[in-house]
């Protein structure tokens, strides 16, 4: 039987904690970026399967613009913003 070390006890204690209000607010502030990134990824995946029609190219461009627009408020607030793919 393995005796838990202090590192294991600390990890277990941290796993039981709920996110703070500040962490939840940070996640909420980043949600538009996350949603826009998912939309862009969906459009890029759709373009992988077949020859890319103009409609799909427009969808990708629209998704990129939406992602950049979602990132702008975070960048203006001085928040760390992940790089565009």
């Amino acid at each position: 039987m393995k005796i838990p070390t202090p590192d294991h006890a600390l990890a277990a204690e941290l796993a039981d904690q709920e996110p703070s209000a500040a962490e939840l607010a940070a996640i909420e502030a980043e949600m538009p970026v996350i949603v826009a990134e998912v939309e862009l990824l969906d459009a890029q995946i759709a373009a992988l399967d077949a020859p890319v029609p103009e409609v799909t190219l427009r969808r990708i461009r629209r998704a990129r613009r939406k992602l950049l627009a979602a990132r702008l408020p975070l960048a203006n607030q001085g928040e760390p913003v992940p790089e565009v793919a």
Side-chain angles (χ1 to χ4, degrees):
M1 181 171 158
K2 188 173 182 181
I3 299 172
T5 63
D7 291 335
H8 292 291
L10 178 61
E13 183 180 322
L14 291 176
D16 291 336
Q17 292 179 354
E18 296 291 324
S20 69
E23 291 169 330
L24 290 173
I27 292 169
E28 187 67 30
E30 291 179 18
M31 279 310 289
V33 174
I34 294 167
V35 170
E37 286 176 339
V38 169
E39 226 174 273
L40 176 59
L41 186 60
D42 285 344
Q44 290 171 332
I45 289 170
L48 292 176
D49 290 341
V52 183
E54 181 61 30
V55 173
T56 302
L57 293 175
R58 279 186 262 153
R59 181 178 171 207
I60 291 171
R61 286 192 299 268
R62 190 171 41 249
R64 281 192 179 132
R65 285 192 304 271
K66 185 175 180 180
L67 175 58
L68 291 173
R71 294 168 60 113
L72 185 62
L74 291 178
N76 287 336
Q77 292 174 3
E79 297 289 330
V81 180
E83 292 184 21
V84 174

